[in-house]
Amino acid sequence: VEPGQEKQTLKFYFTPRVGLAGEVERLKNENPHAKASTYLPDLADALRERFGDAIGEVTLYAGETTVYVDRGAIVDVCRALRDEMGFDYLTDMGTLDRFTEADRFEVFYNVLNLAEKKRLRLKVRVDEEDPVVPTVTGVWRCANWHEREAWDMMGIRFEGHQDLRRLM
């Protein structure tokens, strides 16, 4: 702060956990970063109806829906999202280490329906003893580099990947 100037506090917009569609509208007025395009409980219900037990927990945090998928069903779920539900773009994919005894790693997929401007996050959990997930490169070719990075950085193998070699 320059001499003679007043300290200013920057605004920080935090979107708290929400549980109702109306809450997203309220949050949009309070927080310009909250988007109704990420609140998709009906889509999560449709996936559960179609894929049954392969769809696990569905969470909502900061107005964003996350669907946990059994690793054996991830390719079928991704293909249905692309072919039948309009999620034609894999915007990002990555991994994280949860540092837990069971299901230590998570592979996340952020997908986008460009026409309807909707976003969805999928997650697959895998154990440290068997860190293998089927490749989704047959659904979205751009998954190639993401999966190679996950293999290189975290040791997660993507079964069926045609060129799983290190990037670094």
Side-chain angles (χ1 to χ4, degrees), residues 30-96:
E30 293 177 12
N31 180 347
H33 305 295
K35 305 290 183 198
S37 62
T38 60
Y39 180 77
L40 305 172
D42 294 339
L43 177 61
D45 291 343
L47 289 172
R48 186 179 307 282
E49 186 175 313
R50 168 116 184 241
F51 293 99
D53 291 340
I55 302 300
E57 181 183 8
V58 175
T59 63
L60 184 67
Y61 178 75
E64 297 181 3
T65 302
T66 299
V67 177
Y68 288 83
V69 180
D70 180 80
R71 71 175 157 181
I74 190 63
V75 175
D76 292 335
V77 169
C78 288
R79 189 167 286 119
L81 283 166
R82 184 196 66 191
D83 295 345
E84 300 165 26
M85 300 173 191
F87 286 83
D88 47 0
Y89 185 53
L90 175 68
T91 59
D92 189 26
M93 180 187 160
T95 58
L96 60 98

